[in-house]
Amino acid sequence: MTKWCQNPNCADKKSSGQIRGNKGNKWYQSNRIGTYSYGGGNFCTLHCHNEWSEKYMSQAIDALNSRIHEPIKVNLDDAWYVEYHYSWSSGTNNGSYELRNKLKGVRQTITREQAQTEEQRRLDYSEWRTINDTQAKELAIQLGLAS
Ligand SMILES: [Zn+2]
């Protein structure tokens, strides 16, 4: 099924590519969603995404009953993450990995094997990928940095 840009004002852009019909009976119409899209496949351009957001985002948040009234907190024990430090010198990749928890003041150098999943290690040019924060916490426990 064809997907159309969800910005009700999309056709107001009046771009040449939006002209349809024949002489004497022409109109501008909304863009179809193509290969490139914005806002989860709902908008043709960032412009349309922004225009819709300005108009409807508050209503959308309220309609989903997902308005945040208190700040979301990540506490000390869940503040683990892995950081990749990019470093290329004389054609050699010297990238390094750190297990970090700024709230605990921990900065621990780890190996690529520890920093990545088996699949991430298998892929070429993905040395910058790292395990997720849940896995980082598990690693911290393994290494005796957390309990
Ligand atoms: Zn649009």
Side-chain angles (χ1 to χ4, degrees), residues 30-52:
S30 303
N31 284 324
R32 188 191 298 268
I33 302 295
T35 315
Y36 300 101
S37 66
Y38 300 82
N42 287 300
F43 304 98
C44 71
T45 54
L46 195 55
H47 171 84
C48 279
H49 183 205
N50 289 341
E51 221 168 51
W52 185 94

PDB file of all heavy atoms in Angstrom, residues 30-52:
ATOM      1  N   SER A  30       0.277  15.787  -1.793  1.00  0.00           N
ATOM      2  CA  SER A  30       1.237  15.306  -0.800  1.00  0.00           C
ATOM      3  C   SER A  30       2.242  14.372  -1.447  1.00  0.00           C
ATOM      4  O   SER A  30       1.914  13.689  -2.412  1.00  0.00           O
ATOM      5  CB  SER A  30       0.530  14.489   0.290  1.00  0.00           C
ATOM      6  OG  SER A  30      -0.463  15.238   0.906  1.00  0.00           O
ATOM      7  N   ASN A  31       3.438  14.321  -0.890  1.00  0.00           N
ATOM      8  CA  ASN A  31       4.449  13.384  -1.381  1.00  0.00           C
ATOM      9  C   ASN A  31       4.192  11.980  -0.875  1.00  0.00           C
ATOM     10  O   ASN A  31       3.719  11.772   0.241  1.00  0.00           O
ATOM     11  CB  ASN A  31       5.837  13.825  -0.914  1.00  0.00           C
ATOM     12  CG  ASN A  31       6.347  15.000  -1.708  1.00  0.00           C
ATOM     13  OD1 ASN A  31       6.100  15.120  -2.913  1.00  0.00           O
ATOM     14  ND2 ASN A  31       7.053  15.886  -1.031  1.00  0.00           N
ATOM     15  N   ARG A  32       4.546  11.032  -1.732  1.00  0.00           N
ATOM     16  CA  ARG A  32       4.569   9.625  -1.378  1.00  0.00           C
ATOM     17  C   ARG A  32       5.810   9.416  -0.498  1.00  0.00           C
ATOM     18  O   ARG A  32       6.800  10.120  -0.646  1.00  0.00           O
ATOM     19  CB  ARG A  32       4.733   8.880  -2.695  1.00  0.00           C
ATOM     20  CG  ARG A  32       4.610   7.400  -2.695  1.00  0.00           C
ATOM     21  CD  ARG A  32       5.088   6.903  -4.054  1.00  0.00           C
ATOM     22  NE  ARG A  32       4.270   7.397  -5.174  1.00  0.00           N
ATOM     23  CZ  ARG A  32       3.218   6.737  -5.662  1.00  0.00           C
ATOM     24  NH1 ARG A  32       2.876   5.569  -5.167  1.00  0.00           N
ATOM     25  NH2 ARG A  32       2.523   7.223  -6.664  1.00  0.00           N
ATOM     26  N   ILE A  33       5.764   8.458   0.409  1.00  0.00           N
ATOM     27  CA  ILE A  33       6.949   8.137   1.200  1.00  0.00           C
ATOM     28  C   ILE A  33       7.816   7.179   0.388  1.00  0.00           C
ATOM     29  O   ILE A  33       7.381   6.088   0.038  1.00  0.00           O
ATOM     30  CB  ILE A  33       6.588   7.466   2.547  1.00  0.00           C
ATOM     31  CG1 ILE A  33       5.658   8.349   3.387  1.00  0.00           C
ATOM     32  CG2 ILE A  33       7.845   7.119   3.338  1.00  0.00           C
ATOM     33  CD1 ILE A  33       6.244   9.656   3.850  1.00  0.00           C
ATOM     34  N   GLY A  34       9.008   7.624   0.068  1.00  0.00           N
ATOM     35  CA  GLY A  34       9.902   6.810  -0.746  1.00  0.00           C
ATOM     36  C   GLY A  34      10.913   6.054   0.079  1.00  0.00           C
ATOM     37  O   GLY A  34      10.657   5.683   1.220  1.00  0.00           O
ATOM     38  N   THR A  35      12.058   5.836  -0.518  1.00  0.00           N
ATOM     39  CA  THR A  35      13.134   5.104   0.155  1.00  0.00           C
ATOM     40  C   THR A  35      13.614   5.859   1.394  1.00  0.00           C
ATOM     41  O   THR A  35      13.873   5.262   2.429  1.00  0.00           O
ATOM     42  CB  THR A  35      14.331   4.918  -0.802  1.00  0.00           C
ATOM     43  OG1 THR A  35      13.829   4.510  -2.071  1.00  0.00           O
ATOM     44  CG2 THR A  35      15.298   3.888  -0.265  1.00  0.00           C
ATOM     45  N   TYR A  36      13.708   7.174   1.253  1.00  0.00           N
ATOM     46  CA  TYR A  36      14.141   7.984   2.393  1.00  0.00           C
ATOM     47  C   TYR A  36      12.929   8.577   3.072  1.00  0.00           C
ATOM     48  O   TYR A  36      12.061   9.147   2.411  1.00  0.00           O
ATOM     49  CB  TYR A  36      15.081   9.097   1.925  1.00  0.00           C
ATOM     50  CG  TYR A  36      16.307   8.547   1.272  1.00  0.00           C
ATOM     51  CD1 TYR A  36      16.424   8.509  -0.111  1.00  0.00           C
ATOM     52  CD2 TYR A  36      17.331   8.013   2.051  1.00  0.00           C
ATOM     53  CE1 TYR A  36      17.552   7.972  -0.713  1.00  0.00           C
ATOM     54  CE2 TYR A  36      18.456   7.471   1.463  1.00  0.00           C
ATOM     55  CZ  TYR A  36      18.563   7.449   0.076  1.00  0.00           C
ATOM     56  OH  TYR A  36      19.671   6.907  -0.504  1.00  0.00           O
ATOM     57  N   SER A  37      12.863   8.392   4.348  1.00  0.00           N
ATOM     58  CA  SER A  37      11.732   8.946   5.076  1.00  0.00           C
ATOM     59  C   SER A  37      12.198   9.453   6.430  1.00  0.00           C
ATOM     60  O   SER A  37      13.329   9.220   6.835  1.00  0.00           O
ATOM     61  CB  SER A  37      10.664   7.872   5.253  1.00  0.00           C
ATOM     62  OG  SER A  37      11.151   6.851   6.086  1.00  0.00           O
ATOM     63  N   TYR A  38      11.318  10.138   7.099  1.00  0.00           N
ATOM     64  CA  TYR A  38      11.648  10.729   8.393  1.00  0.00           C
ATOM     65  C   TYR A  38      10.552  10.414   9.394  1.00  0.00           C
ATOM     66  O   TYR A  38       9.418  10.155   9.011  1.00  0.00           O
ATOM     67  CB  TYR A  38      11.813  12.248   8.238  1.00  0.00           C
ATOM     68  CG  TYR A  38      12.921  12.584   7.273  1.00  0.00           C
ATOM     69  CD1 TYR A  38      12.685  12.566   5.902  1.00  0.00           C
ATOM     70  CD2 TYR A  38      14.204  12.845   7.732  1.00  0.00           C
ATOM     71  CE1 TYR A  38      13.709  12.827   4.996  1.00  0.00           C
ATOM     72  CE2 TYR A  38      15.235  13.111   6.849  1.00  0.00           C
ATOM     73  CZ  TYR A  38      14.979  13.094   5.481  1.00  0.00           C
ATOM     74  OH  TYR A  38      15.996  13.335   4.603  1.00  0.00           O
ATOM     75  N   GLY A  39      10.899  10.467  10.657  1.00  0.00           N
ATOM     76  CA  GLY A  39       9.891  10.258  11.690  1.00  0.00           C
ATOM     77  C   GLY A  39       9.238   8.897  11.602  1.00  0.00           C
ATOM     78  O   GLY A  39       8.015   8.799  11.566  1.00  0.00           O
ATOM     79  N   GLY A  40      10.064   7.854  11.535  1.00  0.00           N
ATOM     80  CA  GLY A  40       9.539   6.492  11.548  1.00  0.00           C
ATOM     81  C   GLY A  40       8.737   6.139  10.302  1.00  0.00           C
ATOM     82  O   GLY A  40       7.785   5.370  10.365  1.00  0.00           O
ATOM     83  N   GLY A  41       9.127   6.691   9.157  1.00  0.00           N
ATOM     84  CA  GLY A  41       8.472   6.342   7.896  1.00  0.00           C
ATOM     85  C   GLY A  41       7.168   7.085   7.664  1.00  0.00           C
ATOM     86  O   GLY A  41       6.359   6.670   6.844  1.00  0.00           O
ATOM     87  N   ASN A  42       6.964   8.201   8.366  1.00  0.00           N
ATOM     88  CA  ASN A  42       5.703   8.926   8.232  1.00  0.00           C
ATOM     89  C   ASN A  42       5.786  10.231   7.451  1.00  0.00           C
ATOM     90  O   ASN A  42       4.754  10.783   7.069  1.00  0.00           O
ATOM     91  CB  ASN A  42       5.124   9.223   9.622  1.00  0.00           C
ATOM     92  CG  ASN A  42       4.578   7.983  10.277  1.00  0.00           C
ATOM     93  OD1 ASN A  42       3.671   7.348   9.753  1.00  0.00           O
ATOM     94  ND2 ASN A  42       5.144   7.596  11.408  1.00  0.00           N
ATOM     95  N   PHE A  43       7.008  10.710   7.230  1.00  0.00           N
ATOM     96  CA  PHE A  43       7.144  12.011   6.578  1.00  0.00           C
ATOM     97  C   PHE A  43       8.137  11.991   5.430  1.00  0.00           C
ATOM     98  O   PHE A  43       9.119  11.254   5.464  1.00  0.00           O
ATOM     99  CB  PHE A  43       7.556  13.063   7.621  1.00  0.00           C
ATOM    100  CG  PHE A  43       6.600  13.128   8.771  1.00  0.00           C
ATOM    101  CD1 PHE A  43       6.873  12.457   9.951  1.00  0.00           C
ATOM    102  CD2 PHE A  43       5.403  13.813   8.655  1.00  0.00           C
ATOM    103  CE1 PHE A  43       5.973  12.476  11.007  1.00  0.00           C
ATOM    104  CE2 PHE A  43       4.493  13.838   9.700  1.00  0.00           C
ATOM    105  CZ  PHE A  43       4.768  13.171  10.883  1.00  0.00           C
ATOM    106  N   CYS A  44       7.856  12.840   4.424  1.00  0.00           N
ATOM    107  CA  CYS A  44       8.691  12.849   3.221  1.00  0.00           C
ATOM    108  C   CYS A  44       9.999  13.595   3.431  1.00  0.00           C
ATOM    109  O   CYS A  44      10.985  13.295   2.773  1.00  0.00           O
ATOM    110  CB  CYS A  44       7.913  13.439   2.047  1.00  0.00           C
ATOM    111  SG  CYS A  44       7.613  15.224   2.152  1.00  0.00           S
ATOM    112  N   THR A  45       9.977  14.572   4.310  1.00  0.00           N
ATOM    113  CA  THR A  45      11.181  15.380   4.560  1.00  0.00           C
ATOM    114  C   THR A  45      11.241  15.740   6.046  1.00  0.00           C
ATOM    115  O   THR A  45      10.250  15.616   6.771  1.00  0.00           O
ATOM    116  CB  THR A  45      11.140  16.713   3.782  1.00  0.00           C
ATOM    117  OG1 THR A  45       9.918  17.375   4.111  1.00  0.00           O
ATOM    118  CG2 THR A  45      11.221  16.495   2.283  1.00  0.00           C
ATOM    119  N   LEU A  46      12.402  16.243   6.450  1.00  0.00           N
ATOM    120  CA  LEU A  46      12.547  16.710   7.816  1.00  0.00           C
ATOM    121  C   LEU A  46      11.634  17.914   8.039  1.00  0.00           C
ATOM    122  O   LEU A  46      11.069  18.097   9.110  1.00  0.00           O
ATOM    123  CB  LEU A  46      14.016  17.087   8.063  1.00  0.00           C
ATOM    124  CG  LEU A  46      14.446  17.259   9.512  1.00  0.00           C
ATOM    125  CD1 LEU A  46      14.121  16.020  10.337  1.00  0.00           C
ATOM    126  CD2 LEU A  46      15.930  17.569   9.578  1.00  0.00           C
ATOM    127  N   HIS A  47      11.455  18.715   6.978  1.00  0.00           N
ATOM    128  CA  HIS A  47      10.558  19.868   7.050  1.00  0.00           C
ATOM    129  C   HIS A  47       9.145  19.430   7.446  1.00  0.00           C
ATOM    130  O   HIS A  47       8.533  20.003   8.347  1.00  0.00           O
ATOM    131  CB  HIS A  47      10.530  20.609   5.714  1.00  0.00           C
ATOM    132  CG  HIS A  47       9.483  21.662   5.629  1.00  0.00           C
ATOM    133  ND1 HIS A  47       9.677  22.945   6.112  1.00  0.00           N
ATOM    134  CD2 HIS A  47       8.203  21.616   5.177  1.00  0.00           C
ATOM    135  CE1 HIS A  47       8.567  23.648   5.935  1.00  0.00           C
ATOM    136  NE2 HIS A  47       7.657  22.865   5.369  1.00  0.00           N
ATOM    137  N   CYS A  48       8.621  18.408   6.755  1.00  0.00           N
ATOM    138  CA  CYS A  48       7.271  17.930   7.062  1.00  0.00           C
ATOM    139  C   CYS A  48       7.194  17.319   8.459  1.00  0.00           C
ATOM    140  O   CYS A  48       6.214  17.494   9.171  1.00  0.00           O
ATOM    141  CB  CYS A  48       6.811  16.924   6.007  1.00  0.00           C
ATOM    142  SG  CYS A  48       6.196  17.738   4.508  1.00  0.00           S
ATOM    143  N   HIS A  49       8.261  16.610   8.830  1.00  0.00           N
ATOM    144  CA  HIS A  49       8.324  16.034  10.178  1.00  0.00           C
ATOM    145  C   HIS A  49       8.244  17.152  11.218  1.00  0.00           C
ATOM    146  O   HIS A  49       7.463  17.076  12.173  1.00  0.00           O
ATOM    147  CB  HIS A  49       9.637  15.255  10.325  1.00  0.00           C
ATOM    148  CG  HIS A  49       9.795  14.548  11.630  1.00  0.00           C
ATOM    149  ND1 HIS A  49      11.010  14.238  12.159  1.00  0.00           N
ATOM    150  CD2 HIS A  49       8.879  14.101  12.512  1.00  0.00           C
ATOM    151  CE1 HIS A  49      10.850  13.633  13.313  1.00  0.00           C
ATOM    152  NE2 HIS A  49       9.560  13.523  13.552  1.00  0.00           N
ATOM    153  N   ASN A  50       9.031  18.191  11.015  1.00  0.00           N
ATOM    154  CA  ASN A  50       9.047  19.318  11.956  1.00  0.00           C
ATOM    155  C   ASN A  50       7.709  20.035  12.022  1.00  0.00           C
ATOM    156  O   ASN A  50       7.224  20.379  13.103  1.00  0.00           O
ATOM    157  CB  ASN A  50      10.135  20.321  11.566  1.00  0.00           C
ATOM    158  CG  ASN A  50      11.518  19.784  11.834  1.00  0.00           C
ATOM    159  OD1 ASN A  50      11.698  18.834  12.606  1.00  0.00           O
ATOM    160  ND2 ASN A  50      12.517  20.365  11.192  1.00  0.00           N
ATOM    161  N   GLU A  51       7.092  20.245  10.852  1.00  0.00           N
ATOM    162  CA  GLU A  51       5.826  20.962  10.813  1.00  0.00           C
ATOM    163  C   GLU A  51       4.741  20.197  11.571  1.00  0.00           C
ATOM    164  O   GLU A  51       3.971  20.774  12.337  1.00  0.00           O
ATOM    165  CB  GLU A  51       5.403  21.171   9.345  1.00  0.00           C
ATOM    166  CG  GLU A  51       4.819  22.540   9.093  1.00  0.00           C
ATOM    167  CD  GLU A  51       4.668  22.850   7.610  1.00  0.00           C
ATOM    168  OE1 GLU A  51       4.091  22.019   6.874  1.00  0.00           O
ATOM    169  OE2 GLU A  51       5.130  23.927   7.203  1.00  0.00           O
ATOM    170  N   TRP A  52       4.706  18.881  11.333  1.00  0.00           N
ATOM    171  CA  TRP A  52       3.729  18.041  12.033  1.00  0.00           C
ATOM    172  C   TRP A  52       3.989  18.062  13.535  1.00  0.00           C
ATOM    173  O   TRP A  52       3.060  18.194  14.343  1.00  0.00           O
ATOM    174  CB  TRP A  52       3.808  16.611  11.514  1.00  0.00           C
ATOM    175  CG  TRP A  52       2.757  15.695  12.077  1.00  0.00           C
ATOM    176  CD1 TRP A  52       1.556  15.397  11.525  1.00  0.00           C
ATOM    177  CD2 TRP A  52       2.821  14.964  13.320  1.00  0.00           C
ATOM    178  NE1 TRP A  52       0.865  14.527  12.336  1.00  0.00           N
ATOM    179  CE2 TRP A  52       1.618  14.252  13.452  1.00  0.00           C
ATOM    180  CE3 TRP A  52       3.788  14.848  14.320  1.00  0.00           C
ATOM    181  CZ2 TRP A  52       1.340  13.431  14.539  1.00  0.00           C
ATOM    182  CZ3 TRP A  52       3.510  14.038  15.420  1.00  0.00           C
ATOM    183  CH2 TRP A  52       2.308  13.339  15.520  1.00  0.00           C
TER     184      TRP A  52
END
